[in-house]
């Protein structure tokens, strides 16, 4: 799609309202760049979204809080009907 000036407009959310599989978002409690606020801004694009906050962590939560990071992911994958 092009705007009035002929520049491309990228909308990666088009059609997401039809995607009903649960989407898991994670945010680290102490990350102010891509943390809870940012993830909550993305969540409305998906009809079925869940947010898990990883406590006592920053941007590197997969390394500093591996169990707290991976457990919700494993639980999410177990829920999916694949």
């Amino acid at each position: 799609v092009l705007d009035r000036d002929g520049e491309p407009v990228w909308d990666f959310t088009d059609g997401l309202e039809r995607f009903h599989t649960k989407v898991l978002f994670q945010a680290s409690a102490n990350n102010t760049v891509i943390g809870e606020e940012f993830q909550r801004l993305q969540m409305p694009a998906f009809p079925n979204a869940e947010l898990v906050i990883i406590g006592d962590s920053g941007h590197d939560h997969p390394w500093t809080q591996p169990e707290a990071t991976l457990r919700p992911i494993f639980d999410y994958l177990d829920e999916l009907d694949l």
Side-chain angles (χ1 to χ4, degrees):
V1 177
L2 302 177
D3 68 11
R4 289 181 163 174
D5 298 321
E7 296 296 319
V9 177
W10 305 101
D11 181 2
F12 294 105
T13 64
D14 187 37
L16 288 179
E17 71 279 357
R18 296 187 307 267
F19 186 78
H20 293 281
T21 300
K22 182 177 167 183
V23 175
L24 177 66
F25 287 87
Q26 285 193 344
S28 49
N30 300 323
N31 187 338
T32 58
V33 178
I34 307 176
E36 180 177 356
E37 182 180 354
F38 178 77
Q39 297 297 45
R40 288 194 185 282
L41 289 173
Q42 298 185 92
M43 290 176 66
F46 297 90
N48 187 8
E50 176 186 356
L51 175 62
V52 173
I53 306 298
I54 309 300
D56 193 28
S57 62
H59 184 71
D60 59 351
H61 68 274
W63 293 273
T64 60
Q65 299 288 344
E67 176 63 26
T69 300
L70 292 173
R71 178 52 39 211
I73 294 171
F74 293 150
D75 293 345
Y76 165 76
L77 292 172
D78 283 344
E79 291 176 16
L80 294 179
D81 186 23
L82 300 175

